[in-house]
Amino acid sequence: MKAAVLMEKDRMEIARIPRPEVEEEGVLVSMTQAAVCGTDLKLIRSGHRDLSLPRILGHEGMGEITASRHPAFQKGDRVAIYPGCFCGDCPACRAGHTSRCETIRIYGFNRDGLFRTVIPFSAKEVSSLVRIPEKSDPGVVLAEPVACCLSALGRFRYLEKTTALVVGAGAVGSLFTALLLAEGWKTVLVADRNPRRLSSGLPRGVRTMAAGTGGLRECLERDGWGGKIGFLVPCCPSGLDWPFWEVMRPGGGVSFFSGRGRKTEPLALDADAVHYLGLTLAGSYGCDRKDFVFAASMLARKRLDLSFLDCCRVSLSELEAGLDRLRNGRIRKVIIDRF
Ligand SMILES: [Zn+2]
Ligand SMILES: [Zn+2]
């Protein structure tokens, strides 16, 4: 069978690896779909805090149980795969925050990932599997990025759903936008410095703004949004590198959702503005299993319709060509649907 292995920085290979055996109380999952995201590109190009090599990539995917020695799973069950392997027992896990598990291993980062034909799960690891209905919408493959958005949004549930601003119209920016609209935010603005990214692949009802982070404040003020942004989500590394506090409404929220890449300078921030405006700033990284379960069930039943997203479908062997299209920014998402 095949696997996409990152051997070293910038060198990914489609390798032949032995088919796994099913362990006692374990299962085998044959992959049906996996999605490639910007983080995978980043891993290949420049590594990541949580990456060790060589590594089979992939942290977004779903499959079918093809062998089971575990009482809770049967051959034929469809599953979405939560990308964290957590202990279930530490204080964070017990509080439901599996993404902060003391010993978490992340598929495609520090544990082999989902870009392979068949994946073995041990008795300990089956807690990463979330059963979904047999006739689930294929959009379930995006449960992980949607769950990351839900996880970030979960820290701001108290906000009045006025005007939200998403900075960066890549795949995650587009998904976050869809989620905000679905949750009833009155106005959702999405800004990107690349006007082409604003011309397609976004949900209906969003308002677009072509502006780099440098000129974003001016654009917002010119269009009458100064002081009116109730919720700000950066969905690109430079999403907070501008005086964003100047456009926030009192009591607004700012999600520290995207990492800032390899920046050497710490973020400049007007602490007095945060103080006087009573802003809430909250970080978020990854997603808890409960967010993933919620996202998978929402997508399986098409309660969040992501058909607007521009995707291309490839086989695992064609992954490199798919990555190129992603690098060129021609599409937002690559789905592997043949393994
Ligand atoms: Zn991802
Ligand atoms: Zn734990």
Side-chain angles (χ1 to χ4, degrees):
M1 63 172 229
K2 291 179 202 150
V5 187
L6 183 62
M7 307 300 289
E8 55 189 71
K9 218 169 99 175
D10 268 327
R11 189 162 70 89
M12 192 196 68
E13 277 178 15
I14 303 298
R16 291 225 161 253
I17 60 167
R19 205 164 259 274
E21 299 286 325
V22 55
E23 281 180 35
E24 200 174 330
E25 289 196 51
V27 302
L28 293 184
V29 173
S30 287
M31 294 301 290
T32 51
Q33 286 201 104
V36 187
C37 85
T39 308
D40 296 310
L41 288 182
K42 200 159 72 184
L43 293 177
I44 296 170
R45 192 181 54 227
S46 42
H48 187 278
R49 192 193 72 171
D50 294 327
L51 176 71
S52 54
L53 297 175
R55 180 65 57 221
I56 299 176
L57 295 174
H59 59 273
E60 301 176 9
M62 59 198 276
E64 182 181 339
I65 306 255
T66 43
S68 175
R69 294 175 69 189
H70 191 284
F73 293 93
Q74 284 187 340
K75 197 174 161 191
D77 283 351
R78 309 297 157 113
V79 288
I81 303 166
Y82 173 69
C85 186
F86 54 94
C87 78
D89 208 34
C90 69
C93 280
R94 269 183 273 133
H97 298 302
T98 53
S99 64
R100 287 180 230 149
C101 171
E102 287 167 10
T103 56
I104 192 154
R105 314 270 292 163
I106 309 169
Y107 297 109
F109 288 73
N110 44 24
R111 186 199 185 286
D112 276 334
L114 312 183
F115 297 166
R116 50 181 152 160
T117 316
V118 179
I119 306 178
F121 288 84
S122 67
K124 186 91 197 120
E125 294 162 345
V126 293
S127 52
S128 297
L129 302 177
V130 174
R131 210 176 296 111
I132 52 170
E134 193 187 326
K135 291 203 165 34
S136 291
D137 187 81
V140 177
V141 69
L142 299 176
E144 190 269 344
V146 169
C148 291
C149 300
L150 278 170
S151 190
L153 199 51
R155 312 196 67 174
F156 296 95
R157 288 280 172 218
Y158 61 92
L159 287 176
E160 205 188 319
K161 294 173 182 170
T162 53
T163 302
L165 170 64
V166 175
V167 182
V172 175
S174 181
L175 293 176
F176 217 126
T177 304
L179 194 61
L180 289 165
L181 287 166
E183 295 224 340
W185 279 74
K186 214 159 114 199
T187 307
V188 181
L189 301 164
V190 59
D192 199 291
R193 59 164 70 96
N194 180 353
R196 208 185 52 184
R197 287 223 283 189
L198 297 170
S199 62
S200 65
L202 290 169
R204 208 175 289 190
V206 66
R207 300 174 73 137
T208 59
M209 184 167 284
T213 50
L216 189 50
R217 179 175 57 98
E218 290 76 4
C219 284
L220 287 161
E221 271 162 11
R222 184 196 60 213
D223 292 355
W225 299 110
K228 292 196 179 144
I229 304 300
F231 182 45
L232 168 65
V233 197
C235 291
C236 61
S238 56
L240 289 174
D241 292 347
W242 58 292
F244 59 84
W245 49 89
E246 293 181 13
V247 300
M248 296 302 295
R249 65 185 259 150
V254 182
S255 174
F256 280 46
F257 180 61
S258 176
R260 293 177 66 240
R262 301 207 158 172
K263 297 216 167 59
T264 46
E265 289 294 310
L267 181 72
L269 182 67
D270 183 343
D272 273 345
V274 175
H275 166 66
Y276 287 116
L277 288 170
L279 301 181
T280 300
L281 317 180
S284 180
Y285 173 57
C287 58
D288 293 332
R289 189 182 188 277
K290 59 178 166 19
D291 299 312
F292 184 86
V293 170
F294 190 78
S297 112
M298 200 161 65
L299 292 167
R301 291 164 181 80
K302 222 169 175 164
R303 270 188 277 132
L304 182 66
D305 182 1
L306 302 178
S307 50
F308 60 85
L309 205 66
D310 38 352
C311 299
C312 81
R313 295 181 170 271
V314 298
S315 69
L316 185 57
S317 315
E318 298 162 341
L319 179 57
E320 196 58 65
L323 291 174
D324 276 339
R325 295 189 65 184
L326 213 52
R327 284 185 192 107
N328 297 337
R330 264 183 248 136
I331 41 154
R332 280 188 174 76
K333 210 74 193 164
V334 172
I335 310 281
I336 305 167
D337 63 0
R338 281 150 289 149
F339 291 83

PDB file of all heavy atoms in Angstrom, residues 24-42:
ATOM      1  N   GLU A  24      -4.736  -6.679  18.700  1.00  0.00           N
ATOM      2  CA  GLU A  24      -5.776  -7.108  19.617  1.00  0.00           C
ATOM      3  C   GLU A  24      -6.508  -5.865  20.146  1.00  0.00           C
ATOM      4  O   GLU A  24      -5.870  -4.892  20.549  1.00  0.00           O
ATOM      5  CB  GLU A  24      -5.141  -7.878  20.778  1.00  0.00           C
ATOM      6  CG  GLU A  24      -6.164  -8.737  21.474  1.00  0.00           C
ATOM      7  CD  GLU A  24      -5.535  -9.610  22.540  1.00  0.00           C
ATOM      8  OE1 GLU A  24      -4.359  -9.986  22.373  1.00  0.00           O
ATOM      9  OE2 GLU A  24      -6.236  -9.888  23.519  1.00  0.00           O
ATOM     10  N   GLU A  25      -7.820  -5.885  20.089  1.00  0.00           N
ATOM     11  CA  GLU A  25      -8.676  -4.751  20.483  1.00  0.00           C
ATOM     12  C   GLU A  25      -8.415  -3.487  19.668  1.00  0.00           C
ATOM     13  O   GLU A  25      -8.732  -2.381  20.097  1.00  0.00           O
ATOM     14  CB  GLU A  25      -8.544  -4.457  21.983  1.00  0.00           C
ATOM     15  CG  GLU A  25      -9.192  -5.553  22.817  1.00  0.00           C
ATOM     16  CD  GLU A  25      -9.421  -5.129  24.251  1.00  0.00           C
ATOM     17  OE1 GLU A  25     -10.005  -4.057  24.454  1.00  0.00           O
ATOM     18  OE2 GLU A  25      -9.005  -5.875  25.140  1.00  0.00           O
ATOM     19  N   GLY A  26      -7.846  -3.670  18.488  1.00  0.00           N
ATOM     20  CA  GLY A  26      -7.628  -2.531  17.604  1.00  0.00           C
ATOM     21  C   GLY A  26      -8.520  -2.626  16.374  1.00  0.00           C
ATOM     22  O   GLY A  26      -9.349  -3.543  16.265  1.00  0.00           O
ATOM     23  N   VAL A  27      -8.376  -1.682  15.465  1.00  0.00           N
ATOM     24  CA  VAL A  27      -9.129  -1.709  14.201  1.00  0.00           C
ATOM     25  C   VAL A  27      -8.211  -1.270  13.062  1.00  0.00           C
ATOM     26  O   VAL A  27      -7.156  -0.676  13.292  1.00  0.00           O
ATOM     27  CB  VAL A  27     -10.360  -0.760  14.226  1.00  0.00           C
ATOM     28  CG1 VAL A  27     -11.313  -1.105  15.348  1.00  0.00           C
ATOM     29  CG2 VAL A  27      -9.942   0.700  14.313  1.00  0.00           C
ATOM     30  N   LEU A  28      -8.642  -1.576  11.847  1.00  0.00           N
ATOM     31  CA  LEU A  28      -7.981  -1.023  10.662  1.00  0.00           C
ATOM     32  C   LEU A  28      -8.973  -0.096   9.972  1.00  0.00           C
ATOM     33  O   LEU A  28     -10.150  -0.437   9.823  1.00  0.00           O
ATOM     34  CB  LEU A  28      -7.587  -2.130   9.672  1.00  0.00           C
ATOM     35  CG  LEU A  28      -6.498  -3.120  10.087  1.00  0.00           C
ATOM     36  CD1 LEU A  28      -6.204  -4.066   8.926  1.00  0.00           C
ATOM     37  CD2 LEU A  28      -5.223  -2.401  10.523  1.00  0.00           C
ATOM     38  N   VAL A  29      -8.500   1.056   9.564  1.00  0.00           N
ATOM     39  CA  VAL A  29      -9.348   2.001   8.833  1.00  0.00           C
ATOM     40  C   VAL A  29      -8.780   2.172   7.428  1.00  0.00           C
ATOM     41  O   VAL A  29      -7.609   2.533   7.271  1.00  0.00           O
ATOM     42  CB  VAL A  29      -9.408   3.371   9.544  1.00  0.00           C
ATOM     43  CG1 VAL A  29     -10.158   4.390   8.696  1.00  0.00           C
ATOM     44  CG2 VAL A  29     -10.070   3.243  10.910  1.00  0.00           C
ATOM     45  N   SER A  30      -9.607   1.880   6.418  1.00  0.00           N
ATOM     46  CA  SER A  30      -9.215   2.173   5.039  1.00  0.00           C
ATOM     47  C   SER A  30      -9.667   3.591   4.744  1.00  0.00           C
ATOM     48  O   SER A  30     -10.844   3.919   4.904  1.00  0.00           O
ATOM     49  CB  SER A  30      -9.897   1.217   4.061  1.00  0.00           C
ATOM     50  OG  SER A  30      -9.303  -0.048   4.169  1.00  0.00           O
ATOM     51  N   MET A  31      -8.740   4.416   4.320  1.00  0.00           N
ATOM     52  CA  MET A  31      -9.072   5.823   4.087  1.00  0.00           C
ATOM     53  C   MET A  31      -9.976   5.960   2.863  1.00  0.00           C
ATOM     54  O   MET A  31      -9.757   5.311   1.842  1.00  0.00           O
ATOM     55  CB  MET A  31      -7.796   6.636   3.876  1.00  0.00           C
ATOM     56  CG  MET A  31      -6.908   6.729   5.100  1.00  0.00           C
ATOM     57  SD  MET A  31      -7.752   7.487   6.505  1.00  0.00           S
ATOM     58  CE  MET A  31      -7.885   9.181   5.932  1.00  0.00           C
ATOM     59  N   THR A  32     -10.999   6.797   2.979  1.00  0.00           N
ATOM     60  CA  THR A  32     -11.850   7.081   1.825  1.00  0.00           C
ATOM     61  C   THR A  32     -11.586   8.499   1.308  1.00  0.00           C
ATOM     62  O   THR A  32     -11.633   8.743   0.114  1.00  0.00           O
ATOM     63  CB  THR A  32     -13.341   6.926   2.183  1.00  0.00           C
ATOM     64  OG1 THR A  32     -13.613   7.690   3.358  1.00  0.00           O
ATOM     65  CG2 THR A  32     -13.688   5.466   2.441  1.00  0.00           C
ATOM     66  N   GLN A  33     -11.306   9.424   2.230  1.00  0.00           N
ATOM     67  CA  GLN A  33     -10.988  10.794   1.840  1.00  0.00           C
ATOM     68  C   GLN A  33     -10.020  11.402   2.850  1.00  0.00           C
ATOM     69  O   GLN A  33     -10.144  11.151   4.051  1.00  0.00           O
ATOM     70  CB  GLN A  33     -12.235  11.669   1.881  1.00  0.00           C
ATOM     71  CG  GLN A  33     -13.227  11.465   0.773  1.00  0.00           C
ATOM     72  CD  GLN A  33     -14.093  12.724   0.670  1.00  0.00           C
ATOM     73  OE1 GLN A  33     -13.919  13.535  -0.223  1.00  0.00           O
ATOM     74  NE2 GLN A  33     -14.980  12.895   1.607  1.00  0.00           N
ATOM     75  N   ALA A  34      -9.107  12.217   2.354  1.00  0.00           N
ATOM     76  CA  ALA A  34      -8.262  13.009   3.244  1.00  0.00           C
ATOM     77  C   ALA A  34      -8.106  14.378   2.597  1.00  0.00           C
ATOM     78  O   ALA A  34      -8.182  14.499   1.374  1.00  0.00           O
ATOM     79  CB  ALA A  34      -6.904  12.355   3.437  1.00  0.00           C
ATOM     80  N   ALA A  35      -7.935  15.401   3.417  1.00  0.00           N
ATOM     81  CA  ALA A  35      -7.788  16.744   2.865  1.00  0.00           C
ATOM     82  C   ALA A  35      -6.405  17.286   3.192  1.00  0.00           C
ATOM     83  O   ALA A  35      -5.833  16.977   4.234  1.00  0.00           O
ATOM     84  CB  ALA A  35      -8.868  17.660   3.420  1.00  0.00           C
ATOM     85  N   VAL A  36      -5.893  18.068   2.250  1.00  0.00           N
ATOM     86  CA  VAL A  36      -4.581  18.685   2.427  1.00  0.00           C
ATOM     87  C   VAL A  36      -4.829  20.134   2.811  1.00  0.00           C
ATOM     88  O   VAL A  36      -5.711  20.781   2.245  1.00  0.00           O
ATOM     89  CB  VAL A  36      -3.788  18.649   1.110  1.00  0.00           C
ATOM     90  CG1 VAL A  36      -2.371  19.139   1.328  1.00  0.00           C
ATOM     91  CG2 VAL A  36      -3.789  17.246   0.524  1.00  0.00           C
ATOM     92  N   CYS A  37      -4.075  20.640   3.767  1.00  0.00           N
ATOM     93  CA  CYS A  37      -4.306  22.035   4.121  1.00  0.00           C
ATOM     94  C   CYS A  37      -3.007  22.820   4.093  1.00  0.00           C
ATOM     95  O   CYS A  37      -1.927  22.266   3.907  1.00  0.00           O
ATOM     96  CB  CYS A  37      -5.034  22.162   5.452  1.00  0.00           C
ATOM     97  SG  CYS A  37      -3.980  22.123   6.878  1.00  0.00           S
ATOM     98  N   GLY A  38      -3.119  24.118   4.275  1.00  0.00           N
ATOM     99  CA  GLY A  38      -1.962  25.005   4.244  1.00  0.00           C
ATOM    100  C   GLY A  38      -0.905  24.589   5.252  1.00  0.00           C
ATOM    101  O   GLY A  38       0.294  24.768   5.023  1.00  0.00           O
ATOM    102  N   THR A  39      -1.344  24.017   6.375  1.00  0.00           N
ATOM    103  CA  THR A  39      -0.383  23.581   7.384  1.00  0.00           C
ATOM    104  C   THR A  39       0.525  22.489   6.814  1.00  0.00           C
ATOM    105  O   THR A  39       1.715  22.454   7.107  1.00  0.00           O
ATOM    106  CB  THR A  39      -1.122  23.058   8.632  1.00  0.00           C
ATOM    107  OG1 THR A  39      -2.043  24.056   9.038  1.00  0.00           O
ATOM    108  CG2 THR A  39      -0.173  22.765   9.764  1.00  0.00           C
ATOM    109  N   ASP A  40      -0.044  21.593   5.976  1.00  0.00           N
ATOM    110  CA  ASP A  40       0.792  20.546   5.367  1.00  0.00           C
ATOM    111  C   ASP A  40       1.883  21.178   4.503  1.00  0.00           C
ATOM    112  O   ASP A  40       3.032  20.742   4.517  1.00  0.00           O
ATOM    113  CB  ASP A  40      -0.070  19.595   4.525  1.00  0.00           C
ATOM    114  CG  ASP A  40      -1.079  18.829   5.372  1.00  0.00           C
ATOM    115  OD1 ASP A  40      -0.671  18.246   6.382  1.00  0.00           O
ATOM    116  OD2 ASP A  40      -2.274  18.831   5.023  1.00  0.00           O
ATOM    117  N   LEU A  41       1.496  22.218   3.752  1.00  0.00           N
ATOM    118  CA  LEU A  41       2.493  22.912   2.919  1.00  0.00           C
ATOM    119  C   LEU A  41       3.590  23.506   3.791  1.00  0.00           C
ATOM    120  O   LEU A  41       4.771  23.430   3.470  1.00  0.00           O
ATOM    121  CB  LEU A  41       1.834  24.047   2.122  1.00  0.00           C
ATOM    122  CG  LEU A  41       0.929  23.669   0.954  1.00  0.00           C
ATOM    123  CD1 LEU A  41       0.421  24.930   0.269  1.00  0.00           C
ATOM    124  CD2 LEU A  41       1.671  22.797  -0.046  1.00  0.00           C
ATOM    125  N   LYS A  42       3.158  24.082   4.910  1.00  0.00           N
ATOM    126  CA  LYS A  42       4.107  24.706   5.837  1.00  0.00           C
ATOM    127  C   LYS A  42       5.051  23.643   6.419  1.00  0.00           C
ATOM    128  O   LYS A  42       6.254  23.861   6.538  1.00  0.00           O
ATOM    129  CB  LYS A  42       3.319  25.402   6.952  1.00  0.00           C
ATOM    130  CG  LYS A  42       4.082  26.465   7.690  1.00  0.00           C
ATOM    131  CD  LYS A  42       3.155  27.440   8.400  1.00  0.00           C
ATOM    132  CE  LYS A  42       2.484  26.809   9.603  1.00  0.00           C
ATOM    133  NZ  LYS A  42       1.508  27.670  10.279  1.00  0.00           N
TER     134      LYS A  42
END
